[in-house]
Amino acid sequence: MQGAGPRPPRVVGASFEVDPAVAGLARAPEERAGWMMEPERGAGALPGTEEAAGAAQGKGRVNFPFPYTPYSIQEDFMAKLYDVLEAGKVGIFESPTGTGKSLSLICGALSWLRDFEEKKKQEEARLLADEHNGQDKQQQPTSCCAEASNCQGSVGELNWITEFMQKKEERAMVDRLKEEQIRRKKREARLEKIRHNVQLKYASKRKRLEDDETQRLLQLSTEILSTELGSDVLEQLDHEEEELILAEYESDEEKKVGSWLDEDDDDLEEEHVTKIYYCSRTHSQLAQFVHEVQKSPFGEEVRLVSLGSRQSLCVNEEVRHLGAVQLINDRCMEMQKNKHGKKSEGEESEGKKRRVSRAVCPFYSYEQMQFLRDEVLVKVKDIEQLVALGKEIKACPYYGSRYAIPAAQLVVLPYQMLLHESTRCASGIKLKDQVVIIDEAHNLIDTITCIYSAEVRGSQLCCAYSQLLQYMERYRKRLKAKNLMYIKQILYLLERFVSILGGNVNQNPNAQSISQAGTELKSINDFLFQSQIDNINLFKVQRYCEKSLISRKLFGFVERYGATSVVKTNKEKQKMAGLQNFLLALHQGPDKEAAIQCSPVEAEDGQPKMASPLMQIEGFLFALTNANQDGRVILNRQGTVGQSSLKFLLLNPAVHFAKVLKECRAAIIAGGTMQPVSDFREQLLSCAISADRVVEFSCGHVIPPDNILPIILCSGPSNQQLEFTYQKRDLPQMMDEMGRILGNLCNVVPGGVVCFFPSYEYEKQVYTHWERTGLLTRLATKKKIFQEPKRANQVEQVLSEYAKCIKRCSQVGGHVTGALLFSVVGGKMSEGINFSDDLGRCVVMVGMPYPNIKSPELQEKMAYLDKTMPRSAGQPPSKMLIENLCMKAVNQSIGRAIRHQKDFASILLVDHRYARPSVFNKLPQWIKERTEIKPAFGPAFAALRKFHQEKKSCHGSEAS
């Protein structure tokens, strides 16, 4: 855990006061129903159960097991978290990096789950005991009946019909509790046996070895037969093309039960226990969280499962090599369909004469996946450990982990899997009455917006049209009427999309010039009407694409007649000769030109694209099914049709997030920097829940107050007012003044200085100016200069060299005292990078990084907010949005320096506008309360010099 100093590794059961109102809610059922039983602690029970049961009898005190004595802010965090979960509210939690946020989330949330499960077991035990002793509700009413009787009057007033119905409901509930108890005991017994019985693992391994040997012998037999029956083999290879033909499609009205493989259909549906869904942005963040769970007091007992995409979890190399997510998904589903699907009538009648090759996944073994499920539930594993286990036991980690969801107490998953509705359903995630924790949520609004937005280029539309047209011509006689109907509808959609961009789908998109370049925004309905596709049911087309796997079939078609599934057109055009000649042969008349000019792949900057652009177009079609008021379509006409694009922009992310909030019991939105929180309230929560259900919590930092020096600098060394607006920042005198400020800083700040610029373009402009004036050379005499690279694959190398330079300077000494790193707000280094200790003794923010208000997307978002949101503090919502976006970026960047309790750093905000109250109040609380506003450079420089001299002397005495 970052932020935790060296402490004795002991488990401390800390008890803290919770909100009396919430504690009353927690105790009321116990007091009314008389829960005084002392239950047994079964397998899988969370730590501290017995203590928690006792604590529940006390005055609202909760026991939080912790690996060491927690900080006071961690105690407050856990107590507030417990309150929010118990009351079923939505909490916005801010805990700065370095304060042990992850461990506070783990111990606070799992302590609540421990208590919740204990109360539920006590209620079950009491009801079952009542039923066993033949007691009715009049003798000892249940909590829910007591509440009902309180509402209706005394028990004697109930008539016989009400009594009969209540008894019937109670008997049904008792029967259900009995079934749940039996299932729970079986599961606990099974997991306990696996946990302690090593022989089961050996038996499973022995069975896998036997299966491998059997498979090897079968393969050997097949090879021998193939040698003897060469003609049959050739015939079979010819019929591999059968896999490219679409199966007969039945629409919703005609669909028969079981005619399609439903990915959500599990053979044995197990009831979902109450659980916590924890999600974060990246797999590395999720892995770090899982490691924190492993080290926590709950690490040995909690049933945790890590979820991921097929791309992350697939262990079938034949599928993994496809690379693109959509290709992997489609191939996986197709292999399952081959495994479960029945033979068609043609295959049954022709028998051996037409043996169709249908690949199945060797890792999709139900028995082995059940074993993997149990292994996952017995011991906490991260994604990497899950993949290693899948390879070892030859079981699919993707589906094996999904089988573990119902019984899991803690499910760890990436943002997209929880926030995207169709992905959530396909993954078997059920949020009803569950707890959702979204960590690193400072960019939650942008994440939801991106997930539900989509963009397609004109070149992709033309290419998909040509490919699909050739596919239909090739297999026209083999396709059923419904397939032909939907393919023609898709072709018509593609034709209209290209037409609205100003092009012709039958001509080379890169050769068609756009007469009137520019950007145009339309509502969804206006776009559908102007494109003349308002008479097509896009919901049916979308479902057809999902169920028929047409994009996968089209990819296989291109793969078969082209040289490779992924082509870089700038280097490997010759490989497309096979496909192009085939397409050309099928075309007659004016269509010849389209076949010649269509290449299935376009590469930009050396990056390979998917062979079937139809996959990306499907996402755009899905986006068009949003409500008219919730999004806009952007027509971006640039140069040629191929360069132009259609983009769907989601304006109202709340409509999708509302579905999560309405289902779950409670939700926690947490992050290191959540200010300003008004965005979350107004853009995400306002339309889904009432304001009184939202709770805000922000804690301070664990560092001493004198370990940080934030300064707002209003003017430079030559008394030039610092205002880096778009109109003034390019002035030579403004860039010179910034250079003088940095020169003075480098003289007094040891180690590393990180300087953030508003954009890559401005950083490059300033760098060039300083290089020309000689300032860069003067800076280099004190600090070695590094620049943030634009390419992500170069970031690690730059950071490594930066760190080595600082370490070398601190050891060797000399004129060069460290390094100066030029970074960009919103770039690779403004988020998720640690500049702890000497790597970031001073963070400089040049100007205010306002977003580009000329962006069509941002302008439309501003107009939407002004239309739908009320004014705040006399300001229109659009202005608040711009300011909030700016300050979110600032807060993320300046939070890079302080990373643990003994760390220290100075922060310099270089622009007088930071002193404005509306801006100043949006800084994080722990920074804001220590910030000094300096109108002149002299006092600011003196404060900085004094701060670093004192820290240098303290740091030196501690080291000695």
Side-chain angles (χ1 to χ4, degrees):
M1 179 195 67
Q2 292 172 347
R7 299 187 180 211
R10 59 192 183 92
V11 175
V12 177
S15 296
F16 312 116
E17 293 285 350
V18 298
D19 188 335
V22 177
L25 289 173
R27 294 195 308 274
E30 292 181 66
E31 294 163 354
R32 287 194 296 267
W35 290 349
M36 297 298 179
M37 298 180 64
E38 185 67 29
E40 293 183 13
R41 181 179 175 187
L46 296 175
T49 304
E50 295 87 347
E51 297 87 337
Q57 304 293 334
K59 297 182 178 180
R61 298 187 70 83
V62 178
N63 178 53
F64 294 109
F66 219 74
Y68 51 79
T69 304
Y71 300 119
S72 60
I73 60 173
Q74 290 177 312
E75 296 173 359
D76 296 340
F77 187 105
M78 290 186 290
K80 196 65 175 180
L81 178 65
Y82 193 104
D83 290 351
V84 172
L85 297 183
E86 186 67 20
K89 294 187 175 183
V90 176
I92 301 175
F93 280 68
E94 182 180 53
S95 181
T97 304
T99 57
K101 170 170 59 73
S102 295
L103 203 52
S104 299
L105 282 170
I106 292 165
C107 295
L110 290 180
S111 293
W112 172 84
L113 184 61
R114 170 204 63 197
D115 294 351
F116 180 85
E117 289 179 346
E118 189 60 31
K119 293 170 190 174
K120 189 175 179 181
K121 286 181 182 179
Q122 288 178 341
E123 172 73 347
E124 289 176 5
R126 194 195 61 75
L127 285 171
L128 293 173
D130 287 353
E131 196 267 344
H132 179 71
N133 296 329
Q135 297 175 340
D136 58 25
K137 290 187 179 182
Q138 290 180 351
Q139 295 170 316
Q140 189 174 2
T142 61
S143 58
C144 57
C145 291
E147 291 172 2
S149 61
N150 288 338
C151 296
Q152 299 176 19
S154 64
V155 177
E157 295 175 359
L158 296 174
N159 58 37
W160 70 271
I161 297 176
T162 306
E163 290 179 11
F164 174 78
M165 294 303 297
Q166 287 177 342
K167 288 178 181 179
K168 184 179 179 182
E169 289 174 4
E170 185 174 273
R171 282 196 297 272
M173 183 168 61
V174 168
D175 291 341
R176 181 174 56 80
L177 291 176
K178 284 181 179 178
E179 292 176 6
E180 288 181 6
Q181 192 178 63
I182 292 170
R183 276 198 298 266
R184 184 174 66 248
K185 287 181 177 179
K186 283 184 177 180
R187 180 180 67 238
E188 290 174 352
R190 185 182 73 243
L191 296 181
E192 195 67 18
K193 187 183 290 185
I194 292 173
R195 187 178 282 113
H196 299 294
N197 193 343
V198 183
Q199 290 183 354
L200 284 175
K201 296 183 181 180
Y202 286 129
S204 177
K205 188 173 183 179
R206 185 168 62 250
K207 185 178 184 307
R208 290 197 305 275
L209 293 174
E210 291 173 357
D211 291 345
D212 289 345
E213 180 65 16
T214 303
Q215 187 67 29
R216 191 184 68 81
L217 291 173
L218 284 172
Q219 181 66 28
L220 185 62
S221 302
T222 304
E223 290 174 1
I224 293 172
L225 287 171
S226 299
T227 306
E228 297 174 358
L229 304 171
S231 59
D232 286 348
V233 174
L234 291 174
E235 186 178 11
Q236 179 179 340
L237 291 175
D238 288 340
H239 287 292
E240 284 180 357
E241 195 170 358
E242 292 285 341
E243 292 188 23
L244 301 179
I245 300 175
L246 292 163
E248 185 172 0
Y249 181 75
E250 294 173 339
S251 61
D252 294 344
E253 294 82 358
E254 302 166 330
K255 186 177 177 182
K256 298 175 184 177
V257 177
S259 62
W260 286 100
L261 174 67
D262 190 351
E263 195 177 1
D264 297 336
D265 184 27
D266 290 331
D267 293 338
L268 292 175
E269 181 65 28
E270 188 177 354
E271 180 131 358
H272 285 238
V273 303
T274 302
K275 59 175 57 59
I276 296 166
Y277 286 99
Y278 171 90
C279 63
S280 192
R281 288 188 308 115
T282 64
H283 283 295
S284 60
Q285 289 170 339
L286 293 172
Q288 185 178 353
F289 178 82
V290 172
H291 295 156
E292 293 288 344
V293 174
Q294 290 171 332
K295 293 184 292 182
S296 77
F298 298 89
E300 293 296 323
E301 300 294 341
V302 68
R303 299 191 300 274
L304 180 148
V305 58
S306 296
L307 300 182
S309 63
R310 286 183 176 90
Q311 192 177 37
S312 301
L313 290 174
C314 181
V315 290
N316 187 335
E317 291 302 326
E318 177 192 340
V319 179
R320 282 179 65 87
H321 89 278
L322 293 173
V325 178
Q326 190 62 50
L327 295 179
I328 292 174
N329 290 345
D330 287 348
R331 183 59 175 158
C332 175
M333 292 171 64
E334 188 176 38
M335 293 175 90
Q336 285 180 68
K337 190 174 179 181
N338 293 342
K339 185 179 181 72
H340 293 283
K342 295 181 180 180
K343 291 182 179 180
S344 65
E345 293 179 8
E347 292 173 42
E348 289 284 1
S349 60
E350 296 190 34
K352 293 182 180 179
K353 184 178 178 182
R354 298 184 65 240
R355 289 177 290 180
V356 180
S357 171
R358 294 187 181 275
V360 296
C361 182
F363 296 92
Y364 192 76
S365 163
Y366 181 76
E367 184 178 344
Q368 292 305 115
M369 287 190 295
Q370 294 295 305
F371 181 76
L372 183 140
R373 174 202 65 185
D374 292 341
E375 282 287 318
V376 166
L377 294 174
V378 162
K379 188 176 181 181
V380 174
K381 293 177 177 63
D382 63 17
I383 289 286
E384 287 74 20
Q385 293 167 330
L386 188 58
V387 170
L389 177 64
K391 290 179 179 178
E392 180 189 346
I393 67 175
K394 295 198 73 174
C396 175
Y398 178 76
Y399 284 102
S401 60
R402 282 178 55 185
Y403 285 135
I405 294 175
Q409 295 166 308
L410 180 57
V411 180
V412 179
L413 67 167
Y415 269 3
Q416 288 80 354
M417 194 168 284
L418 182 123
L419 298 174
H420 193 257
E421 186 179 13
S422 59
T423 305
R424 188 165 68 239
C425 295
S427 302
I429 295 168
K430 297 181 179 179
L431 298 181
K432 183 67 176 174
D433 297 328
Q434 309 291 17
V435 171
V436 171
I437 298 177
I438 303 175
D439 202 0
E440 301 297 332
H442 55 271
N443 59 352
L444 181 59
I445 296 173
D446 293 338
T447 299
I448 298 173
T449 301
C450 289
I451 287 174
Y452 287 96
S453 297
E455 184 174 15
V456 289
R457 299 191 312 278
S459 56
Q460 292 175 313
L461 294 167
C462 290
C463 183
Y465 179 89
S466 183
Q467 289 180 6
L468 193 57
L469 186 64
Q470 311 315 319
Y471 177 89
M472 186 181 72
E473 292 295 331
R474 176 76 172 94
Y475 302 117
R476 180 185 289 275
K477 295 180 180 179
R478 303 293 305 276
L479 295 171
K480 301 294 183 181
K482 274 286 171 62
N483 282 316
L484 285 172
M485 181 192 76
Y486 278 108
I487 288 176
K488 287 179 179 179
Q489 281 191 347
I490 296 171
L491 286 170
Y492 177 73
L493 288 170
L494 296 174
E495 182 182 352
R496 297 312 307 162
F497 290 160
V498 173
S499 176
I500 202 171
L501 286 175
N504 186 328
V505 77
N506 290 316
Q507 297 177 11
N508 186 345
N510 296 321
Q512 298 182 65
S513 298
I514 298 293
S515 56
Q516 292 183 342
T519 301
E520 188 178 358
L521 288 97
K522 294 184 178 297
S523 68
I524 298 174
N525 287 347
D526 287 345
F527 175 77
L528 297 179
F529 283 124
Q530 187 172 335
S531 302
Q532 299 175 10
I533 58 173
D534 53 294
N535 60 329
I536 293 180
N537 189 329
L538 293 179
F539 291 95
K540 285 190 174 184
V541 174
Q542 176 202 342
R543 182 167 179 80
Y544 172 77
C545 291
E546 289 176 356
K547 292 298 181 180
S548 67
L549 300 179
I550 187 170
S551 58
R552 169 65 203 175
K553 302 290 185 182
L554 195 58
F555 169 73
F557 173 70
V558 174
E559 190 178 41
R560 180 176 177 84
Y561 290 102
T564 179
S565 61
V566 177
V567 184
K568 296 186 178 181
T569 54
N570 55 343
K571 294 182 180 178
E572 304 178 42
K573 289 183 179 178
Q574 68 276 12
K575 291 189 177 183
M576 283 309 302
L579 174 63
Q580 290 175 347
N581 290 337
F582 170 71
L583 299 182
L584 181 61
L586 289 176
H587 264 284
Q588 299 293 330
D591 288 338
K592 287 182 181 179
E593 186 179 4
I596 295 172
Q597 291 158 349
C598 170
S599 74
V601 183
E602 293 198 0
E604 294 177 1
D605 302 325
Q607 295 296 318
K609 302 296 182 185
M610 290 183 294
S612 175
L614 187 60
M615 294 175 182
Q616 195 163 343
I617 294 167
E618 285 178 12
F620 181 70
L621 291 175
F622 171 75
L624 292 178
T625 61
N626 277 276
N628 183 56
Q629 69 272 15
D630 292 336
R632 296 290 182 270
V633 179
I634 301 173
L635 285 70
N636 185 21
R637 300 184 179 95
Q638 298 293 332
T640 65
V641 172
Q643 295 170 332
S644 302
S645 65
L646 297 174
K647 180 177 181 179
F648 174 81
L649 174 67
L650 181 69
L651 295 177
N652 184 17
V655 71
H656 295 286
F657 194 58
K659 297 175 183 177
V660 174
L661 295 179
K662 287 177 181 177
E663 285 190 53
C664 66
R665 171 196 174 95
I668 303 297
I669 303 171
T673 307
M674 298 297 288
Q675 294 293 335
V677 297
S678 57
D679 279 358
F680 295 100
R681 280 185 170 272
E682 294 165 7
Q683 295 186 46
L684 274 187
L685 307 178
S686 59
C687 73
I689 57 175
S690 58
D692 58 351
R693 198 186 159 197
V694 181
V695 177
E696 291 181 27
F697 175 84
S698 179
C699 63
H701 212 294
V702 294
I703 61 167
D706 57 353
N707 272 23
I708 181 172
L709 178 63
I711 291 177
I712 295 175
L713 187 60
C714 299
S715 59
S718 62
N719 292 325
Q720 170 82 38
Q721 187 185 50
L722 299 171
E723 185 178 325
F724 289 86
T725 59
Y726 192 76
Q727 293 79 14
K728 295 182 179 180
R729 69 183 189 182
D730 295 340
L731 297 174
Q733 58 265 34
M734 193 64 70
M735 291 188 280
D736 290 339
E737 194 76 338
M738 187 64 233
R740 285 188 283 270
I741 293 170
L742 272 183
N744 282 282
L745 277 180
C746 291
N747 286 329
V748 298
V749 178
V753 176
V754 184
C755 182
F756 284 102
F757 290 88
S759 65
Y760 283 105
E761 290 73 21
Y762 188 60
E763 186 267 338
K764 183 179 179 181
Q765 181 182 352
V766 172
Y767 188 91
T768 304
H769 177 77
W770 289 347
E771 198 173 33
R772 188 169 58 249
T773 60
L775 178 67
L776 214 58
T777 305
R778 294 195 295 275
L779 287 174
T781 61
K782 284 293 183 180
K783 305 282 185 185
K784 185 174 180 180
I785 298 172
F786 293 86
Q787 286 179 280
E788 176 181 324
K790 277 192 174 183
R791 292 184 178 273
N793 57 2
Q794 297 174 347
V795 172
E796 284 296 329
Q797 182 184 351
V798 172
L799 283 175
S800 176
E801 293 297 324
Y802 173 75
K804 286 178 183 176
C805 174
I806 292 172
K807 185 177 180 180
R808 186 169 57 249
C809 291
S810 65
Q811 292 173 345
V812 177
H815 292 293
V816 179
T817 60
L820 172 61
L821 176 62
F822 293 151
S823 298
V824 175
V825 176
K828 312 294 185 302
M829 297 181 182
S830 64
E831 193 174 325
I833 302 294
N834 275 348
F835 291 113
S836 60
D837 300 318
D838 279 349
L839 295 182
R841 289 306 182 196
C842 183
V843 174
V844 181
M845 178 64 62
V846 179
M848 298 185 69
Y850 282 107
N852 179 16
I853 59 172
K854 294 183 179 180
S855 160
E857 291 93 337
L858 187 56
Q859 286 183 344
E860 193 65 24
K861 180 79 173 180
M862 292 165 64
Y864 173 80
L865 291 178
D866 284 341
K867 185 178 179 181
T868 58
M869 297 288 178
R871 295 173 70 90
S872 177
Q875 289 187 326
S878 56
K879 186 176 180 182
M880 295 290 290
L881 171 70
I882 297 299
E883 210 165 72
N884 288 348
L885 288 173
C886 169
M887 291 310 295
K888 276 183 183 294
V890 169
N891 294 340
Q892 277 299 306
S893 299
I894 63 179
R896 299 298 95 203
I898 303 294
R899 311 303 286 183
H900 59 83
Q901 187 186 21
K902 294 184 178 180
D903 206 355
F904 66 89
S906 55
I907 297 172
L908 199 61
L909 302 176
V910 186
D911 199 304
H912 77 93
R913 291 174 294 169
Y914 282 108
R916 293 174 182 172
S918 63
V919 176
F920 181 79
N921 289 329
K922 289 174 182 174
L923 289 169
Q925 184 64 32
W926 65 279
I927 292 179
K928 181 171 61 178
E929 61 191 13
R930 304 170 192 183
T931 300
E932 301 177 11
I933 299 175
K934 302 291 186 182
F937 180 76
F941 181 71
L944 283 166
R945 181 170 53 191
K946 180 182 177 183
F947 173 82
H948 285 287
Q949 284 177 347
E950 289 177 353
K951 292 303 168 188
K952 185 177 180 181
S953 60
C954 292
H955 196 60
S957 61
E958 286 179 8
S960 60

